[in-house]
Amino acid sequence: MSRARAVLAGTVGAVLIATLSPGVPAAAAPAPVPLIEDPASYVDPFVGTTRGGNTWPGATRPFGMIAWSPTNTAGDQTGAPASNGYDYNVTKLRGFSLTHVNGAGCSPGAAGDVPIMPYVGDVTTSPTADTRDQRYSSTFSHAAESASPGRYTVGLDNGVRTDLAVSTRAGIGNFSFPAGSAANLLFRTSNSLNGSEDARIDIDATTRTVTGSVLTGGFCGRRGNGGGATNPNRRSYYRLYFSAVFDRDFARTGTWQNATVTPGGTTATGGESYLTGADRAGKGSGGWVGFDTAAGGDVRMRVGISYVSPAGAAANRDAEVPDTATVDSVAAATRDAWNTELRRIGVGGGTEARTAAFYTAVYHSLMQPQTISDIDGRYLGADLRVHSIRAGRQAAYGTFSGWDQYRAQIQLLALLRPDVAGDMAQSMLDFAAQNNGVWDRWLHLGAPTHVMTGDPAAPTLATYHAMGARGFDADAALASLVKQATVQNQDALSDAGCPGQCLGQRPTLNTYLALKYAANDVCHCWGGAAETLENSLADFSLAMWARRAGRDDLYRQLLPRGDYWKNTYNPAVGYQAARRADGSWQSGFTPSTDVGFAQGSSATYTWMVPQDVSGLATLMGGRSAAATRLDGFFHDENGNWAVLGGNALRYDPTNEPGIHAPWLYNGLGQPWKTQATVRQIVDTAYGTGPGGLPGNDDLGTMSSWYVFAAIGLFPQVPGRAELLLGSPVFSRVVIDRSNGVRLTVNANSADTYVQSVKLNGSALRRSWLPESYLQRGGTVTITLGTTANTSWATATSDLPKDH
């Protein structure tokens, strides 16, 4: 019997005794199910490191700038086996890189800057000339590898044990070389995942210091649907600086540039370019330092990074990892920091496997946004100039995978850390101001990359505001976003970067406003139907924000635009479809088509109307008919579950435009199907181990979906703060928001189906929670059972409100 069921059985027994035995004092109420005390112990950083999850196992701190993790190699120095450099099934590496982005969907994704490689042997040739990573690399075994929040350790087959730990902006590494060996550390300064424009290394033996930088960028720079060889992201948009200091003298130094190796050298420069394969092979620069290991092979290095200056990197290092620090002390402090964040969403009563999957998902969800400001508050802006954070801000934050994150991850961030969400909102506003007022769809650090489609900054900031994020200039942010939604910017008529990285924030805005849809043949966007759906949801979100701000004029102006999605719904076929400027529909339509859409099919995008479920149901013939159609989205022709992806006609747990679809049943009056469908996805698409994610994590988006599903709550629609109800897999959930609000969810078991719900002690007939629950706190008590209750929360008056 599980602990949760044992507690429940004891409760029932106590009630029976009290009822049947007059005069016997009632038993005391059972103690609440205990919450996990050390959630960090349940985190497995290897989850998602294969099966296309694109996560990585290295050391990082919540919202950290540094992310120290291995870069694997499959025999090509100009590439990597996964988007962020590491794939669990590849057991050979060429260095430990200082920066990473979690779960990006293109390969290579971004960063992977300055791989540092412990090498046993004399450096007699250029490591850059080792284009197939045959010499200056090492294999390893997973049996010799371990990872936990804030620490990564591996014993390489070359004999070196590497032990890494990090703070927010700095790290410390112990490299244990075999005694008496030729021990060297290679700094591959130019070898970022996407290549580099330039790099520099400077070695000072007197101060035992290695400093350097890499000028790089190139996010998704190789993707074929983003302009090919003319991809706008084959460019530099940041320089990363590092400063490393050692605890022992250098026995030798050296540098290389391209094929030329210079023993004794102390300075080298040179980049690799943003090409790949033979066009890039053999290019680049770096350097090495060697150590006398006759008396012992342990080498300790402290390293700081900065996007501002070498001095900033050194200051970050010395402030966060002082000379007295050890790997143990830094790792312990960062583990404590992770526990602080993880305990904000305490759970109890779940299975070991679900608890591990849950806390690993929270961990992955809180890697981004990442700190980009130095300890002194300076940061690199979108204009490539150095700025200082505004008074009262804790940090400047960057990296925003808009099209992905606005559907789940930003809600989880706002739920747990509205203070960080507020600083991120202010950072995004400042980045937009530095970018001629344009809010880019995908920010790497603070830089615009233009990736994907729609206008995700609008629903993101509207959601932050609705969920209680404050501390940012909300009036200025709303005005700026509304301007971009109403005044066509200069890039709106450009095809540069299309389809995957179109420049315009609101492509062909004037035509869109005139036609009330994005015409597929003239939209200068990835796909007209997708753009229409994205903009409709963005404008609805802005309307909700305007209403909160008392701007009834903006509310009345923007709210009708939230219905423009109806203009690309083709009633003749019953699906969203690409439409031309003359009003005609794109020929050759099938529900599986991706013409007019972005990384998805019509069958998926047709459900992307969370702001108007009732309106969508009306077009489909009513709620019952819409629910029947939705059944076919999650099941095959034989009625079997089809929720693992791979079929353009059905649900894909990795495809962001559809991840809210399991929760639509609440709005269609059949919430028991939400409960069953979400539970099926939780138990089959997600899990533990390296393959535990269904696909690329997209900066924590897929992990955030799992977190919400596991606690039985899900944000109803961007721009608002209502929460849809499902069935939690834990018997107790306690959320302590950083603004002091506490939310509690109690359940009697881990069964699938909701039988009844109480909100603050009163019966709740609705399958959703009002904004007041999130804003002021409260307790939800859910009675679960093994069979569906098909009468709870089904009345029309109890359905989630669309507007």
Side-chain angles (χ1 to χ4, degrees):
M1 180 180 290
S2 72
R3 181 176 181 85
R5 291 184 183 275
V7 171
L8 175 62
T11 303
V12 173
V15 171
L16 288 174
I17 292 172
T19 302
L20 299 176
S21 306
V24 177
V33 173
L35 302 177
I36 298 298
E37 294 183 359
D38 181 20
S41 66
Y42 283 86
V43 173
D44 179 4
F46 291 105
V47 168
T49 55
T50 192
R51 195 183 165 197
N54 291 345
T55 63
W56 41 269
T60 194
R61 195 175 173 104
F63 317 115
M65 178 187 292
I66 193 170
W68 207 352
S69 189
T71 293
N72 288 0
T73 178
D76 177 6
Q77 195 181 104
T78 71
S83 174
N84 283 308
Y86 182 97
D87 187 289
Y88 190 83
N89 294 324
V90 178
T91 54
K92 187 177 185 180
L93 60 82
R94 64 171 176 266
F96 301 93
S97 305
L98 299 173
T99 60
H100 290 82
V101 175
N102 176 40
C106 54
S107 186
D113 301 315
V114 193
I116 301 170
M117 180 65 197
Y119 175 66
V120 177
D122 295 325
V123 182
T124 57
T125 60
S126 166
T128 292
D130 181 25
T131 59
R132 298 186 60 81
D133 288 328
Q134 294 176 317
R135 178 175 180 180
Y136 298 104
S137 61
S138 179
T139 55
F140 65 96
S141 167
H142 292 304
E145 183 183 35
S146 64
S148 60
R151 190 169 195 166
Y152 175 85
T153 305
V154 65
L156 299 178
D157 291 342
N158 67 8
V160 182
R161 182 179 185 272
T162 297
D163 194 7
L164 311 175
V166 299
S167 60
T168 298
R169 304 170 180 85
I172 184 169
N174 278 348
F175 302 93
S176 298
F177 291 88
S181 68
N184 297 287
L185 275 178
L186 314 181
F187 288 79
R188 301 178 181 269
T189 49
S190 66
N191 193 219
S192 300
L193 283 173
N194 280 311
S196 57
E197 180 179 340
D198 187 29
R200 180 181 180 92
I201 189 168
D202 292 288
I203 302 170
D204 186 340
T206 302
T207 60
R208 304 171 176 172
T209 301
V210 179
T211 59
S213 67
V214 56
L215 178 63
T216 185
F219 176 67
C220 281
R222 302 181 194 175
R223 63 188 302 160
N225 59 3
T230 61
N231 186 290
N233 280 342
R234 287 191 173 179
R235 62 183 174 89
S236 301
Y237 50 79
Y238 70 92
R239 185 181 283 275
L240 178 82
Y241 299 90
F242 70 92
S243 181
V245 64
F246 291 84
D247 68 339
R248 55 190 302 177
D249 291 336
F250 303 152
R252 58 195 161 273
T253 67
T255 59
W256 72 85
Q257 182 182 33
N258 298 338
T260 301
V261 62
T262 306
T266 57
T267 298
T269 60
E272 297 182 3
S273 85
Y274 294 120
L275 301 175
T276 188
D279 293 324
R280 177 173 147 200
K283 298 178 181 177
S285 63
W288 76 91
V289 292
F291 304 92
D292 182 353
T293 60
D298 290 343
V299 176
R300 188 188 70 172
M301 180 183 83
R302 295 182 296 121
V303 60
I305 64 171
S306 167
Y307 294 100
V308 173
S309 68
N316 290 339
R317 179 197 67 214
D318 292 339
E320 294 186 356
V321 184
D323 184 56
T324 55
T326 65
V327 170
D328 285 342
S329 67
V330 173
T334 293
R335 185 186 179 92
D336 287 346
W338 274 113
N339 264 331
T340 296
E341 299 304 326
L342 298 172
R343 289 190 189 113
R344 295 184 193 278
I345 184 164
V347 298
T351 66
E352 289 290 298
R354 282 175 172 165
T355 303
F358 178 81
Y359 275 120
T360 302
V362 178
Y363 169 81
H364 281 141
S365 298
L366 299 182
M367 289 181 173
Q368 271 84 32
Q370 64 190 99
T371 302
I372 66 169
S373 53
D374 285 351
I375 199 80
D376 64 2
R378 296 195 301 162
Y379 69 95
L380 181 69
D383 55 1
L384 304 184
R385 303 172 78 174
V386 175
H387 301 264
S388 294
I389 61 174
R390 298 184 182 222
R393 303 281 68 77
Q394 294 301 307
Y397 293 99
T399 305
F400 170 64
S401 169
W403 184 84
D404 311 296
Q405 288 177 286
Y406 87 82
R407 307 169 202 268
Q409 193 271 343
I410 64 108
Q411 288 89 342
L412 186 61
L413 176 66
L415 176 68
L416 300 179
R417 292 297 303 269
D419 54 335
V420 173
D423 278 352
M424 180 59 175
Q426 186 62 56
S427 298
M428 291 174 66
L429 173 60
D430 291 339
F431 297 147
Q434 296 156 10
N435 190 37
N436 299 315
V438 173
W439 299 67
D440 198 72
R441 290 180 292 272
W442 216 116
L443 299 169
H444 180 209
L445 308 176
T449 71
H450 327 302
V451 171
M452 297 309 299
T453 188
D455 189 10
T460 294
L461 267 75
T463 300
Y464 281 161
H465 191 264
M467 295 184 72
R470 296 295 182 264
F472 69 100
D473 192 338
D475 290 340
L478 177 60
S480 177
L481 286 162
V482 169
K483 179 179 179 181
Q484 290 300 320
T486 54
V487 180
Q488 184 170 282
N489 66 53
Q490 62 181 357
D491 293 326
L493 299 178
S494 172
D495 269 334
C498 285
Q501 294 164 222
C502 306
L503 293 180
Q505 179 178 350
R506 291 275 186 151
T508 326
L509 178 63
N510 290 343
T511 303
Y512 176 81
L513 295 177
L515 295 175
K516 299 184 180 180
Y517 65 90
N520 201 56
D521 52 335
V522 297
C523 73
H524 303 290
C525 66
W526 194 331
E531 192 76 16
T532 302
L533 286 158
E534 296 283 356
N535 287 345
S536 296
L537 187 49
D539 289 337
F540 173 86
S541 300
L542 290 177
M544 296 299 101
W545 189 0
R547 184 170 62 181
R548 293 174 186 283
R551 293 292 307 274
D552 290 343
D553 56 329
L554 284 179
Y555 171 73
R556 290 190 298 269
Q557 176 187 356
L558 293 168
L559 186 63
R561 291 171 53 171
D563 288 336
Y564 283 6
W565 65 270
K566 296 177 181 178
N567 298 321
T568 45
Y569 184 89
N570 184 350
V573 297
Y575 287 91
Q576 283 286 324
R579 194 172 185 180
R580 301 173 65 83
D582 63 7
S584 63
W585 299 99
Q586 190 84 31
S587 61
F589 174 84
T590 66
S592 62
T593 187
D594 64 356
V595 176
F597 302 96
Q599 287 191 352
S601 66
S602 172
T604 293
Y605 270 94
T606 293
W607 298 105
M608 209 198 96
V609 195
Q611 78 275 24
D612 193 6
V613 179
S614 61
L616 179 62
T618 297
L619 292 181
M620 289 182 170
R623 290 191 179 93
S624 179
T628 299
R629 277 196 59 177
L630 194 56
D631 292 344
F633 189 52
F634 295 112
H635 298 82
D636 64 20
E637 297 85 351
N638 299 316
N640 301 310
W641 285 107
V643 295
L644 298 180
N647 187 329
L649 296 177
R650 297 200 162 76
Y651 179 75
D652 181 351
T654 72
N655 197 10
E656 278 78 5
I659 61 174
H660 68 289
W663 300 84
L664 293 178
Y665 285 114
N666 285 31
L668 298 175
Q670 299 184 14
W672 67 91
K673 291 183 179 178
T674 283
Q675 299 149 28
T677 305
V678 170
R679 186 62 61 87
Q680 180 70 18
I681 297 166
V682 163
D683 286 345
T684 61
Y686 290 82
T688 57
L693 285 177
N696 62 288
D697 203 21
D698 280 324
L699 280 73
T701 299
M702 295 306 160
S703 290
S704 296
W705 186 96
Y706 183 90
V707 171
F708 279 118
I711 65 174
L713 305 174
F714 194 78
Q716 179 185 337
V717 59
R720 300 233 301 250
E722 294 94 343
L723 295 169
L724 299 172
L725 277 168
S727 52
V729 301
F730 302 104
S731 33
R732 187 175 176 218
V733 178
V734 178
I735 300 171
D736 286 311
R737 308 185 68 199
S738 64
N739 60 6
V741 172
R742 169 171 282 195
L743 313 176
T744 301
V745 179
N746 294 320
N748 64 310
S749 72
D751 291 328
T752 299
Y753 293 104
V754 175
Q755 306 300 304
S756 62
V757 177
K758 289 184 178 181
L759 175 58
N760 297 327
S762 299
L764 182 69
R765 293 289 308 169
R766 303 176 306 201
S767 62
W768 56 280
L769 299 171
E771 293 188 352
S772 58
Y773 172 74
L774 186 145
Q775 294 162 346
R776 297 197 292 269
T779 298
V780 176
T781 304
I782 304 175
T783 300
L784 298 173
T786 58
T787 58
N789 181 345
T790 59
S791 62
W792 176 75
T794 59
T796 301
S797 59
D798 291 332
L799 300 183
K801 303 297 187 292
D802 287 326
H803 294 79

